[in-house]
């Protein structure tokens, strides 16, 4: 068994991250497997080196041990580009010149499981127009999901202990695979990395369950194995809302500064026991 914890170094880790990391770590340890760390630092404008160091220090404070060096997404850009080229050569990718505001303003843009669904404005541009606009307009690259699904076969995946699910990538519309300023989207990078790292069990928060629709499609398109998934409940704070990076009181750094014992906290989290005021909730 290979599990992983994949923090984005855009802020301090909090109790929700600790819960996720402990579940993934303990699952691997129980099975005599491997717990891996990946740093999701693909977003160069928001990632900070100090949060990488702080996250690793927090995980060590919890008493978690990981196998090998953490994988950095920023070191894997070549793989992401190769996958994008592959999909592009198969006619499954197109450049999109719309701004966020264009997409939001589109009356036909419905809402999907992961936000506004792209209405497909740039899907049918002529080749001549694409070439002209690629030369000087900012753009991202989108997956033509309808076309991709047509050749992808059955998109089944397993939620641990809860049975087989059928992925529904069409509900997400033509998702972004890469941007000019971020060479791979979360979906593309995460799917490729999980396969490259040999992850057999993806254990992550239930807020990411809808992403599995897209990840399962990308696995089918790129010939990657499908791991088993476990989407766990989310940690909520005293205000009843799920924790966010701005909830300083729940940050592991502040718990550590207040004298909390990290290993004891990890043991409590493994048993679904949370500090006073915090609770688990399935969205
Ligand atoms: N880096 C992602 C996050 O912090 C997690 C990605 C994943 O577990 O698939 O939300």
């Amino acid at each position: 068994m290979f599990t992983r914890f994949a923090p984005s170094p855009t802020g301090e880790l909090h109790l929700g991250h600790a819960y996720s990391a402990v579940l993934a770590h303990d699952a691997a340890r129980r099975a005599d497997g491997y717990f891996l760390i990946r740093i999701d630092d693909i977003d160069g404008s928001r990632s900070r080196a100090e949060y990488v160091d702080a996250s690793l220090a927090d995980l060590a404070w919890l008493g978690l041990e990981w196998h090998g060096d953490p994988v950095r997404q920023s070191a894997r850009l070549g793989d992401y580009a190769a996958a994008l080229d592959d999909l592009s050569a198969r006619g499954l990718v197109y450049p999109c010149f719309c701004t966020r505001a264009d997409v939001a303003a589109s009356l036909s843009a419905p809402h999907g499981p992961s936000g506004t669904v792209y209405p497909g404005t740039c899907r049918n541009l002529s080749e001549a127009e694409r070439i002209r606009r690629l030369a000087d307009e900012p753009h991202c690259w989108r997956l033509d999901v309808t076309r991709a699904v047509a050749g992808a076969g059955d998109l089944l995946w397993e939620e641990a202990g809860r049975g087989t699910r059928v992925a529904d990538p069409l509900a997400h519309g033509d998702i972004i695979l890469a941007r000019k300023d971020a060479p791979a989207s979360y979906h593309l990078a995460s799917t490729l990395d999980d396969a490259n790292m040999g992850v057999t069990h993806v254990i992550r928060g239930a807020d990411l369950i809808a992403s599995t629709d897209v990840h399962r499609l990308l696995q089918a398109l790129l010939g990657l194995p499908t791991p088993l998934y476990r989407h766990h409940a989310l940690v909520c704070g005293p205000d009843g809302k799920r924790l966010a990076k701005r909830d300083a009181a729940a940050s592991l750094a502040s718990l550590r500064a207040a004298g909390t014992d990290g290993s004891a906290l990890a043991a409590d989290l493994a048993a679904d026991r949370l500090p006073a005021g915090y609770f688990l909730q399935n969205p």
Side-chain angles (χ1 to χ4, degrees), residues 4 6 8 40 186 190 204 208:
R4 48 71 162 180
S8 304
D40 283 0
Y186 157 65
S190 185
R204 63 183 175 194
L208 292 170

Side-chain angles (χ1 to χ4, degrees), residues 100-112 115-121:
R100 266 176 222 269
D102 289 339
V103 176
S106 161
L107 286 175
S108 60
H111 215 70
T116 310
V117 172
Y118 179 62
T121 320

Side-chain angles (χ1 to χ4, degrees), residues 4-8 17 20 38 40 73 186 190 194 202-205 207-208 215 245:
R4 48 71 162 180
F5 175 63
S8 304
H17 297 107
S20 199
R38 184 176 77 226
D40 283 0
Q73 288 195 325
Y186 157 65
S190 185
D194 284 336
V202 170
I203 298 174
R204 63 183 175 194
D207 53 325
L208 292 170
H215 299 179
K245 288 203 164 145

Side-chain angles (χ1 to χ4, degrees), residues 50-239:
E50 62 262 33
Y51 290 131
V52 176
D53 296 340
S55 298
L56 296 176
D58 285 343
L59 297 171
W61 168 72
L62 287 167
L64 306 186
E65 286 172 14
W66 54 92
H67 180 70
D69 289 334
V71 171
R72 305 280 297 242
Q73 288 195 325
S74 55
R76 296 203 4 88
L77 304 187
D79 263 36
Y80 310 148
L84 191 66
D85 283 352
D86 173 13
L87 296 171
S88 182
R90 288 148 66 188
L92 299 176
V93 170
Y94 62 88
C96 168
F97 306 94
C98 298
T99 62
R100 266 176 222 269
D102 289 339
V103 176
S106 161
L107 286 175
S108 60
H111 215 70
S114 49
T116 310
V117 172
Y118 179 62
T121 320
C122 291
R123 191 187 305 127
N124 299 314
L125 298 182
S126 70
E127 201 51 29
E129 180 166 5
R130 272 186 190 152
I131 291 167
R132 180 176 59 75
R133 296 178 69 176
L134 275 172
D136 59 2
E137 279 184 49
H139 55 274
C140 66
W141 296 93
R142 290 187 182 271
L143 182 67
D144 185 333
V145 173
T146 310
R147 194 178 279 196
V149 163
D154 287 341
L155 297 174
L156 306 179
W157 59 277
E158 295 284 325
E159 177 74 14
R162 297 203 193 148
T164 305
R165 307 284 170 96
V166 183
D168 180 16
L170 289 170
H172 299 254
D174 289 349
I175 48 112
I176 293 176
L177 293 179
R179 286 199 170 87
K180 236 181 179 172
D181 60 342
S185 66
Y186 157 65
H187 293 309
L188 182 62
S190 185
T191 306
L192 286 166
D193 291 342
D194 284 336
N196 184 262
M197 294 162 73
V199 172
T200 58
H201 293 65
V202 170
I203 298 174
R204 63 183 175 194
D207 53 325
L208 292 170
I209 196 165
S211 300
T212 311
D213 288 327
V214 176
H215 299 179
R216 182 65 190 85
L217 172 61
L218 291 172
Q219 287 154 7
L221 294 174
L222 297 167
L224 306 174
T226 301
L228 189 71
Y229 288 88
R230 173 168 172 207
H231 294 95
H232 59 71
L234 303 177
V235 176
C236 299
D239 62 358

